[in-house]
């Protein structure tokens, strides 16, 4: 049994204090070492949050029952005795900065859970931390950023009570904390055009990919990733798979999600049409106005009771199975759609431009024929839309109503465009395609509400020039509501009437409805929820782009930006990482294998994204607040998993 003096630096003694020498033996457990350190400091304080950090190995020594020998700690080890929770500056999606105490010893996944508990954000698994852009230091820039203090706001089991206005009890400790909660749960005023212009915005897909290289590793602690006390990190929604958003419980979550969506639109991180931009601007304008009079996101108590009753019923039906629905479906034939539509297939040389055919929609399949009279014969082609990608391609002004379909095939995806004549036809066929992609038929109860939702969205984009004239004198800072592209394209006096025209369609919405409508339209954008990475596919000679979404992987040609292939997670058999050569390999059904190395990010980040989305899909409807952290690390951690 070896004995030696262990060198330990104690943070509380100050930076100038010499390290302590503690006499230990190899069979002494870590808890005993800590006891000796505390006795040697002769300081009376609460040491329960303190732990040992092993400098050379860059790791925490947290197992109090392990001996020094089992940990591999010898006489040459340099240990630091420090608090596990330290102040961290956190940049929020709304642009504000808060300082709070975060765990520097737990994996980032658990650290984010603690942060979200303080901020009152449910479903913390959807968020993560990333490093901010490195800012160039200006000599004359003496302005200090405003920091909201939350270092002493520590929720415990008793303080998780919620006040009548929805605010958690730990925010009611002082007026300063109440002000922080107000900042978190109420949308910020529209940013000045200069602020938008100064903020970094990625101009191409490579720059978007570089942003995703800044995410922290969820299976390692902050200190292991060289994040120190009072450093600044950004917290963002990382996984675009938002589970059970309830306005009554999710005031902060809904507001911060809206802010992240708003900045994504203003900084052109996601593309949208001009009509959609005017609608986004109108909704921002309306939300800004209503936030002044409706201070809290709220929902009707009667509706809450109804919602919870419906959720219980839905859970009960899920548990009992859908035998009743199946019986009803067998008794009544599923409805069908029949109409003349136009079809265009970019990858097929036989069809140049759009051609008109007679289409039928039955179950989850579309068939088309030369004419209505031919519909009793074999179709030209039948396409099963189960698992397909459905994207709108609409311009109200140009009377263009197209549906883009990416249909799964063994070697990737088959691209098809359908063109409808008018809004009514488009709404019916678009709703049918969306349901079919989820494996549902026209007999599904959600079909009519899906049609109504699409019709109302189109109606919002329709302009009524006559109704806006009365409001054109209203003071509206248009350049704070649109992205720089439209700031350059139009003068404020040109934008004002267009935004106010769209505003007429949303002016009656409550604050909660307006925010939810903004998020709904954002989620309907073609490029929504795709995170980009520059990769080099095995056997390839040039860099390409890999897009990762909540249900699929997308291979994109870097030079022209076209989608080459799409693979869905539900066809994935297995994936793994060769950590020696830093290569990700994935096997899909039909003997399809792909492998790639990452250029703009560590392959651990890509591995974590794929595993993270698969973890999101495992969340059940059962009302529980416990997260299966072990499963998350198994799916995302690789060989470094805890």
């Amino acid at each position: 049994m070896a004995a030696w003096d262990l060198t330990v630096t104690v943070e509380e003694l100050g930076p100038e204090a010499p390290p302590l020498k503690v006499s230990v033996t190899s069979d002494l457990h870590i808890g005993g070492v800590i006891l000796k350190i505390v006795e040697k400091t002769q300081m009376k304080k609460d040491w329960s949050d303190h732990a040992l950090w092993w400098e050379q190995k860059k790791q925490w020594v947290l197992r109090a029952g392990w001996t020094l020998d089992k940990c591999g700690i010898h006489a040459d080890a340099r240990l630091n005795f420090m608090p596990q929770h330290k102040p961290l500056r956190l940049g929020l999606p709304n642009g504000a900065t808060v300082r709070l105490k975060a765990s520097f010893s737990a994996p980032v996944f658990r650290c984010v859970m603690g942060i979200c508990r303080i901020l009152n954000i449910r479903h913390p698994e959807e968020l993560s931390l990333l490093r901010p852009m490195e800012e160039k230091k200006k000599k004359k820039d003496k302005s200090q950023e405003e920091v909201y203090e939350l270092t002493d706001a520590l929720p415990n089991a008793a303080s998780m009570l919620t006040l009548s206005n929805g605010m958690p009890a730990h925010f009611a400790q002082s007026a300063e904390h109440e002000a922080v909660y107000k900042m978190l749960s109420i949308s910020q005023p529209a940013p000045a055009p200069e602020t938008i212009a100064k903020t970094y915005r990625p101009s191409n897909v490579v720059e978007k990919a570089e942003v995703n290289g800044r995410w922290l590793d969820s299976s390692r602690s902050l200190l292991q990733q060289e994040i120190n006390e009072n450093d600044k990190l950004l917290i963002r929604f990382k996984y675009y798979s938002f589970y059970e958003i309830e306005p009554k419980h999710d005031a902060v979550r809904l507001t911060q999600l809206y802010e992240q969506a708003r900045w994504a639109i203003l900084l052109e991180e996601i593309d949208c049409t001009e009509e959609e931009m005017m609608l986004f601007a109108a909704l921002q304008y309306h939300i800004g106005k209503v936030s002044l009079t409706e201070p809290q996101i709220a929902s009707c108590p009667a509706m809450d009771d109804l919602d919870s009753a419906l959720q219980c019923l839905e859970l009960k039906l899920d548990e009992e199975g859908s035998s009743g629905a199946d019986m009803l479906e067998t008794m009544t034939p599923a409805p069908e759609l029949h109409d003349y539509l136009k079809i265009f297939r970019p990858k097929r040389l036989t069809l140049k431009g759009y051609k008109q055919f007679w289409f039928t929609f039955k179950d989850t399949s579309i068939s088309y024929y030369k004419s209505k009279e031919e519909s009793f014969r074999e179709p030209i082609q039948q396409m099963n839309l189960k698992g397909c990608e459905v994207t709108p391609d609409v311009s109200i002004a140009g009377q263009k109503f197209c549906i883009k379909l990416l249909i799964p095939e063994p070697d990737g995806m088959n691209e098809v465009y359908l063109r409808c004549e008018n809004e009514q036809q488009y709404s019916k066929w678009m709703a049918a395609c969306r349901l079919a992609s989820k494996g549902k038929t026209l007999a599904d109860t959600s079909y009519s509400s899906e049609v109504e939702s699409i019709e109302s969205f189109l109606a919002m984009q329709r302009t009524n020039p006559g109704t806006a004239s009365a409001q054109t004198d209203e003071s509206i800072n248009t350049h704070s509501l649109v992205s720089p592209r439209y700031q350059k394209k139009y003068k404020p006096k040109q934008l004002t009437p267009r935004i106010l025209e769209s505003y007429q369609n949303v002016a009656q919405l409550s604050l909660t409805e307006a925010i939810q409508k903004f998020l709904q339209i954002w989620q309907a954008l073609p490029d929504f929820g795709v995170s980009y990475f520059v990769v080099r596919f095995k056997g390839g000679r040039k860099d390409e782009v890999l897009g990762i979404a909540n249900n699929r992987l997308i291979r994109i040609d870097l030079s022209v930006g076209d989608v080459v292939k799409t693979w869905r997670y539900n066809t994935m058999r297995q994936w793994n990482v060769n950590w020696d050569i830093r290569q990700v390999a994935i096997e899909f059904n039909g003997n399809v294998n792909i492998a790639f190395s990452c250029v703009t990010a560590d392959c651990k980040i890509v591995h974590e994204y794929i595993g993270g989305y698969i973890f999101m899909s495992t969340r059940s409807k059962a009302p529980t607040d416990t997260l299966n952290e072990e499963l998350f690390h198994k799916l995302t951690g690789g060989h470094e998993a805890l």
Side-chain angles (χ1 to χ4, degrees):
M1 183 175 63
W4 68 87
D5 282 349
L6 194 62
T7 306
V8 182
T9 304
V10 180
E11 203 170 88
E12 260 68 13
L13 298 177
E16 302 299 320
L20 298 179
K21 297 285 184 185
V22 183
S23 299
V24 295
T25 55
S26 58
D27 64 346
L28 182 64
H29 53 74
I30 299 300
V33 175
I34 290 173
L35 197 61
K36 286 194 169 199
I37 295 167
V38 169
E39 285 171 357
K40 200 130 190 177
T41 60
Q42 296 180 339
M43 290 172 70
K44 286 189 177 179
K45 66 181 291 291
D46 181 0
W47 295 96
S48 60
D49 188 46
H50 281 59
L52 291 167
W53 167 255
W54 191 352
E55 241 177 79
Q56 295 104 314
K57 288 279 184 84
K58 299 282 181 208
Q59 68 182 45
W60 288 90
V61 185
L62 298 171
R63 295 182 185 271
W66 281 25
T67 63
L68 291 171
D69 196 32
K70 192 173 181 181
C71 292
I73 296 174
H74 303 295
D76 60 344
R78 292 197 308 276
L79 300 178
N80 279 2
F81 189 54
M82 60 171 83
Q84 296 176 63
H85 290 79
K86 295 182 176 187
L88 182 72
R89 286 180 301 135
L90 209 58
L92 302 171
N94 66 1
T97 302
V98 295
R99 185 186 281 111
L100 44 69
K101 279 196 174 173
S103 172
F104 277 69
S105 62
V108 164
F109 184 79
R110 204 181 312 150
C111 169
V112 171
M113 286 167 68
I115 289 169
C116 288
R117 199 154 181 261
I118 294 171
L119 300 179
N120 197 37
I121 297 175
R122 295 192 318 138
H123 298 292
E125 69 275 12
E126 296 165 1
L127 298 95
S128 194
L129 303 172
L130 71 161
R131 291 181 170 87
M133 286 282 295
E134 285 184 18
E135 294 175 13
K136 292 173 184 173
K137 290 181 180 177
K138 296 174 186 174
K139 290 178 183 176
K140 292 182 181 177
D141 189 18
K142 292 178 183 176
S143 61
Q144 291 286 314
E145 67 170 356
E146 185 185 0
V147 177
Y148 292 88
E149 282 293 343
L150 273 180
T151 43
D152 52 348
L154 300 170
N156 52 42
S159 74
M160 289 314 284
L161 298 168
T162 305
L163 305 182
S164 58
N165 63 355
M167 182 172 72
H170 65 271
F171 279 103
Q173 294 168 3
S174 67
E176 289 79 15
H177 286 178
E178 280 193 41
V180 176
Y181 184 75
K182 193 176 175 185
M183 175 275 294
L184 290 168
S185 59
I186 298 173
S187 62
Q188 298 295 291
E194 306 81 59
T195 308
I196 299 172
K198 277 182 200 169
T199 308
Y200 170 78
R201 62 181 192 277
S203 58
N204 54 49
V205 74
V206 175
E207 289 183 4
K208 288 178 186 176
E210 284 167 353
V211 170
N212 287 319
R214 303 204 310 263
W215 289 105
L216 293 188
D217 184 338
S218 292
S219 54
R220 296 167 70 220
S221 68
L222 292 178
L223 203 55
Q224 282 177 301
Q225 299 178 71
E226 297 178 356
I227 306 298
N228 296 307
E229 184 176 343
N230 267 322
D231 279 359
K232 184 172 181 178
L233 291 173
L234 307 179
I235 187 165
R236 295 289 183 269
F237 289 88
K238 178 179 181 180
Y239 298 103
Y240 295 89
S241 182
F242 312 121
Y243 194 65
E244 292 183 326
I245 293 182
E246 297 173 22
K248 182 182 176 185
H249 305 295
D250 288 325
V252 177
R253 183 180 175 212
L254 202 53
T255 302
Q256 295 305 319
L257 186 54
Y258 160 70
E259 291 286 352
Q260 186 163 326
R262 167 162 70 162
W263 279 102
I265 299 293
L266 291 177
L267 299 178
E268 296 167 7
E269 289 171 12
I270 185 167
D271 291 330
C272 64
T273 64
E274 195 166 303
E275 287 162 339
E276 285 163 343
M277 180 58 81
M278 296 309 143
L279 184 51
F280 281 128
L283 282 163
Q284 286 180 74
Y285 174 60
H286 180 58
I287 290 164
K289 278 181 74 174
V290 181
S291 293
L292 301 173
T293 51
E294 264 185 64
Q296 285 290 329
I297 289 179
S299 55
C300 168
M303 287 306 291
D304 289 336
D305 294 341
L306 180 62
D307 283 345
S308 58
L310 285 171
Q311 277 178 355
C312 292
L313 182 62
E314 191 182 334
L315 272 170
K316 203 171 179 183
L317 288 171
D318 281 349
E319 286 163 13
E320 290 172 2
S322 53
S323 55
D326 293 343
M327 194 188 297
L328 195 64
E329 225 166 87
T330 53
M331 288 165 61
T332 56
E336 298 176 15
L337 287 177
H338 309 273
D339 220 334
Y340 277 107
L341 300 176
K342 290 178 180 175
I343 187 170
F344 170 54
R345 310 184 71 176
K347 297 287 165 71
R348 292 277 174 103
L349 299 173
T350 50
L351 284 178
K352 293 182 179 178
Y354 284 93
K355 276 195 175 182
Q356 186 167 284
F357 292 93
W358 178 258
F359 282 79
T360 64
F361 201 119
K362 187 177 180 182
D363 296 329
T364 59
S365 296
I366 284 183
S367 306
Y368 63 94
Y369 310 81
K370 224 170 188 179
S371 64
K372 185 178 181 180
E373 292 70 35
E374 299 273 323
S375 62
F376 297 102
R377 298 182 183 176
E378 282 292 306
I380 296 170
Q381 191 190 11
Q382 186 177 47
M383 300 174 286
N384 190 344
L385 303 190
K386 194 172 179 181
C388 80
E389 296 298 317
V390 185
T391 311
D393 184 11
V394 176
S395 166
I396 304 286
Q399 286 297 291
K400 174 187 170 190
F401 303 101
C402 292
I403 302 166
K404 180 184 173 185
L405 302 171
L406 284 169
I407 302 163
E409 288 188 346
D411 60 340
M413 299 296 247
N414 173 22
E415 192 175 10
V416 176
Y417 286 83
L418 300 179
R419 186 161 194 157
C420 303
E421 283 297 311
N422 51 50
E423 288 182 29
Q424 291 73 28
Q425 190 187 54
Y426 168 81
S427 300
K428 288 175 185 174
W429 285 80
M430 184 63 169
C433 290
R434 280 184 180 168
L435 288 182
S437 71
K438 299 171 189 170
K440 297 178 181 179
T441 68
L442 295 170
D444 194 87
T445 51
S446 62
Y447 174 66
S448 54
S449 61
E450 187 71 43
V451 174
E452 285 172 20
S453 170
I454 293 165
E455 284 176 341
S456 72
F457 175 46
L458 294 174
M460 278 186 179
Q461 294 184 72
R462 221 179 293 127
T463 54
N464 310 306
T467 55
S469 55
Q471 292 204 30
T472 47
D473 58 339
E474 211 172 321
S475 57
I476 169 170
N477 192 353
T478 53
H479 280 181
S480 294
L481 304 172
V482 296
S483 65
R485 185 190 307 170
Y486 296 102
Q487 291 178 20
K488 290 171 188 169
K489 189 174 179 181
Y490 297 110
K491 292 177 180 174
K493 63 181 180 184
Q494 293 171 302
L495 280 173
T496 302
R498 291 195 62 186
I499 293 173
L500 289 173
E501 278 167 22
S502 291
Y503 171 66
Q504 296 306 308
N505 297 320
V506 299
Q508 303 308 312
L509 297 177
S510 69
L511 176 60
T512 307
E513 288 168 342
I515 288 176
Q516 287 178 318
K517 185 59 70 178
F518 190 100
L519 295 175
Q520 189 186 341
I521 299 166
W522 173 55
Q523 287 172 308
L525 294 176
D527 297 333
F528 164 78
V530 182
S531 304
Y532 300 100
F533 297 89
V534 177
V535 300
R536 176 75 61 93
F537 278 89
K538 190 177 180 180
R541 294 184 176 181
K542 58 179 184 177
D543 289 347
E544 293 179 71
V545 174
L546 181 76
I548 301 180
N550 69 344
N551 57 358
R552 68 202 188 279
L553 299 176
I554 309 159
R555 185 174 182 172
I556 302 165
D557 187 309
L558 183 55
S559 52
V560 289
D562 288 347
V563 173
V564 178
K565 278 179 187 172
T566 303
W567 302 278
R568 294 177 74 85
Y569 297 148
N570 58 11
T571 64
M572 190 190 289
R573 294 185 67 184
Q574 62 173 1
W575 86 100
N576 59 69
V577 181
N578 183 330
W579 297 103
D580 296 327
I581 58 172
R582 315 298 282 180
Q583 188 180 74
V584 182
I586 308 173
E587 183 189 340
F588 297 93
N589 293 343
N591 235 357
V592 177
N593 291 281
I594 62 169
F596 54 84
S597 53
C598 307
V599 178
T600 52
D602 191 288
C603 68
K604 171 66 170 72
I605 295 176
V606 175
H607 173 56
E608 193 174 297
Y609 252 106
I610 297 169
Y613 272 126
I614 290 167
F615 174 77
M616 299 298 146
S617 69
T618 66
R619 295 180 290 183
S620 68
K621 284 187 175 180
T624 175
D625 292 330
T626 55
L627 271 176
N628 190 340
E629 191 182 343
E630 188 185 348
L631 177 63
F632 179 86
H633 289 306
K634 273 183 182 173
L635 288 168
T636 63
H639 72 315
E640 295 170 345
L642 297 181

